[in-house]
Amino acid sequence: MTERTLILVKPDGVARGLVGEVLRRIERKGYKLVALDLRQIDRATAERHYAEHHDKAFFSDLVDFITSGPLVAGVVEGDDVIVAWRTMMGATNPVSAAPGTIRGDLATQMQLNVAHGSDSVLSAQREIGIFFPDL
Protein backbone atom coordinates (compact mmCIF):
# COMPACT_ATOMS: atom_id res chain seq x y z
CA MET A 1 0.00 0.00 0.00
CA THR A 2 1.48 3.35 -1.03
CA GLU A 3 1.69 5.82 1.82
CA ARG A 4 3.69 8.84 2.95
CA THR A 5 5.75 9.48 6.05
CA LEU A 6 7.57 12.43 7.53
CA ILE A 7 11.28 11.91 7.99
CA LEU A 8 13.63 14.16 9.91
CA VAL A 9 17.39 14.16 9.96
CA LYS A 10 17.76 15.68 13.40
CA PRO A 11 20.24 18.44 14.32
CA ASP A 12 22.91 15.92 15.36
CA GLY A 13 22.71 14.21 11.97
CA VAL A 14 22.92 17.52 10.11
CA ALA A 15 25.86 18.72 12.26
CA ARG A 16 27.72 15.45 11.64
CA GLY A 17 27.19 15.60 7.87
CA LEU A 18 24.94 12.52 7.72
CA VAL A 19 22.11 13.95 5.58
CA GLY A 20 23.46 12.43 2.37
CA GLU A 21 23.92 9.02 3.98
CA VAL A 22 20.36 8.99 5.33
CA LEU A 23 18.87 10.12 2.02
CA ARG A 24 21.01 7.61 0.13
CA ARG A 25 19.53 4.79 2.20
CA ILE A 26 15.99 5.99 1.48
CA GLU A 27 16.62 6.24 -2.26
CA ARG A 28 18.49 2.93 -2.48
CA LYS A 29 15.50 1.26 -0.84
CA GLY A 30 13.40 2.57 -3.72
CA TYR A 31 11.35 5.19 -1.91
CA LYS A 32 10.49 8.53 -3.49
CA LEU A 33 11.34 11.89 -1.93
CA VAL A 34 8.22 14.05 -2.31
CA ALA A 35 9.44 17.07 -0.29
CA LEU A 36 12.72 18.08 1.33
CA ASP A 37 13.75 21.16 3.28
CA LEU A 38 16.66 22.27 5.47
CA ARG A 39 15.31 24.45 8.26
CA GLN A 40 15.58 25.34 11.91
CA ILE A 41 12.28 24.96 13.71
CA ASP A 42 11.03 27.18 16.50
CA ARG A 43 9.86 26.03 19.89
CA ALA A 44 6.14 26.26 19.03
CA THR A 45 6.58 23.97 16.00
CA ALA A 46 8.64 21.51 18.05
CA GLU A 47 6.00 21.43 20.78
CA ARG A 48 3.28 20.71 18.19
CA HIS A 49 5.42 18.00 16.63
CA TYR A 50 6.09 16.28 19.98
CA ALA A 51 2.64 17.03 21.49
CA GLU A 52 2.05 13.37 22.44
CA HIS A 53 5.04 13.60 24.82
CA HIS A 54 3.93 16.85 26.49
CA ASP A 55 3.36 15.29 29.93
CA LYS A 56 6.58 13.26 29.95
CA ALA A 57 9.67 14.26 31.93
CA PHE A 58 11.87 14.34 28.81
CA PHE A 59 9.59 16.69 26.81
CA SER A 60 11.53 19.90 27.49
CA ASP A 61 14.88 18.27 26.68
CA LEU A 62 13.41 16.85 23.47
CA VAL A 63 12.14 20.26 22.36
CA ASP A 64 15.44 21.93 23.33
CA PHE A 65 17.39 19.41 21.26
CA ILE A 66 15.22 19.46 18.11
CA THR A 67 15.38 23.29 18.08
CA SER A 68 19.14 23.43 18.78
CA GLY A 69 20.21 23.57 15.13
CA PRO A 70 19.08 23.00 11.58
CA LEU A 71 17.33 19.77 10.63
CA VAL A 72 16.25 18.29 7.34
CA ALA A 73 12.53 17.57 7.04
CA GLY A 74 11.21 15.43 4.24
CA VAL A 75 8.25 13.48 3.01
CA VAL A 76 8.92 10.05 1.61
CA GLU A 77 6.43 7.98 -0.38
CA GLY A 78 6.20 4.30 -1.16
CA ASP A 79 4.64 0.96 -0.34
CA ASP A 80 4.49 0.41 3.43
CA VAL A 81 7.01 3.23 3.88
CA ILE A 82 6.06 3.95 7.51
CA VAL A 83 6.99 0.50 8.82
CA ALA A 84 9.93 0.20 6.44
CA TRP A 85 11.41 3.57 7.44
CA ARG A 86 11.07 2.78 11.14
CA THR A 87 12.82 -0.54 10.52
CA MET A 88 15.56 1.23 8.57
CA MET A 89 16.06 3.68 11.46
CA GLY A 90 16.35 0.94 14.08
CA ALA A 91 15.58 1.07 17.80
CA THR A 92 15.37 4.53 19.41
CA ASN A 93 18.29 3.73 21.67
CA PRO A 94 21.35 3.20 19.45
CA VAL A 95 22.77 0.71 21.96
CA SER A 96 19.83 -1.57 21.12
CA ALA A 97 19.68 -0.74 17.41
CA ALA A 98 20.76 -3.49 15.05
CA PRO A 99 23.85 -3.07 12.88
CA GLY A 100 22.80 -2.01 9.39
CA THR A 101 20.17 0.40 10.70
CA ILE A 102 20.69 4.17 10.70
CA ARG A 103 20.78 4.35 14.47
CA GLY A 104 22.80 1.16 14.83
CA ASP A 105 25.42 2.41 12.39
CA LEU A 106 25.41 6.17 12.94
CA ALA A 107 23.82 7.25 16.25
CA THR A 108 25.77 7.86 19.42
CA GLN A 109 23.22 8.09 22.24
CA MET A 110 19.50 7.98 22.99
CA GLN A 111 18.74 11.63 22.25
CA LEU A 112 21.34 11.97 19.50
CA ASN A 113 19.78 9.26 17.35
CA VAL A 114 20.05 11.01 13.95
CA ALA A 115 16.55 10.45 12.53
CA HIS A 116 12.82 10.58 13.15
CA GLY A 117 9.94 8.92 11.36
CA SER A 118 6.19 8.93 11.83
CA ASP A 119 4.90 5.87 13.69
CA SER A 120 1.50 5.52 12.01
CA VAL A 121 -0.60 6.79 9.13
CA LEU A 122 -2.37 9.24 11.46
CA SER A 123 0.93 10.51 12.89
CA ALA A 124 2.32 10.88 9.37
CA GLN A 125 -0.67 12.95 8.28
CA ARG A 126 -0.41 15.17 11.38
CA GLU A 127 3.38 15.59 11.13
CA ILE A 128 3.38 16.25 7.38
CA GLY A 129 0.73 18.92 8.02
CA ILE A 130 3.05 20.61 10.54
CA PHE A 131 6.16 20.59 8.36
CA PHE A 132 4.63 20.75 4.86
CA PRO A 133 1.11 22.23 5.21
CA ASP A 134 0.79 22.84 1.44
CA LEU A 135 1.44 19.21 0.52
Side-chain angles (χ1 to χ4, degrees):
M1 173 169 129
T2 299
E3 56 193 22
R4 289 181 171 178
T5 191
L6 179 81
I7 63 114
L8 299 177
V9 180
K10 295 178 181 180
D12 61 310
V14 172
R16 292 178 53 215
L18 299 174
V19 174
E21 172 66 17
V22 171
L23 296 179
R24 181 187 66 80
R25 290 179 184 217
I26 290 167
E27 290 181 324
R28 287 185 73 190
K29 188 75 174 174
Y31 292 116
K32 179 181 177 185
L33 290 168
V34 177
L36 195 65
D37 188 38
L38 174 70
R39 65 175 77 172
Q40 184 151 355
I41 63 171
D42 60 23
R43 190 163 192 87
T45 302
E47 288 176 354
R48 281 180 54 216
H49 175 66
Y50 287 123
E52 70 272 14
H53 300 302
H54 188 267
D55 293 331
K56 297 182 178 145
F58 60 83
F59 178 74
S60 183
D61 289 340
L62 194 60
V63 170
D64 289 345
F65 167 66
I66 204 71
T67 59
S68 68
L71 57 75
V72 170
V75 177
V76 178
E77 183 177 83
D79 290 343
D80 300 312
V81 71
I82 294 170
V83 171
W85 173 240
R86 293 188 64 79
T87 301
M88 290 169 64
M89 285 191 304
T92 303
N93 186 341
V95 173
S96 306
T101 64
I102 289 166
R103 292 171 175 158
D105 292 351
L106 307 173
T108 58
Q109 56 183 280
M110 183 78 151
Q111 190 173 46
L112 304 178
N113 63 13
V114 180
H116 165 83
S118 307
D119 64 4
S120 69
V121 171
L122 288 177
S123 291
Q125 291 169 345
R126 184 182 69 78
E127 292 175 351
I128 290 168
I130 293 169
F131 284 87
F132 297 96
D134 296 331
L135 207 71

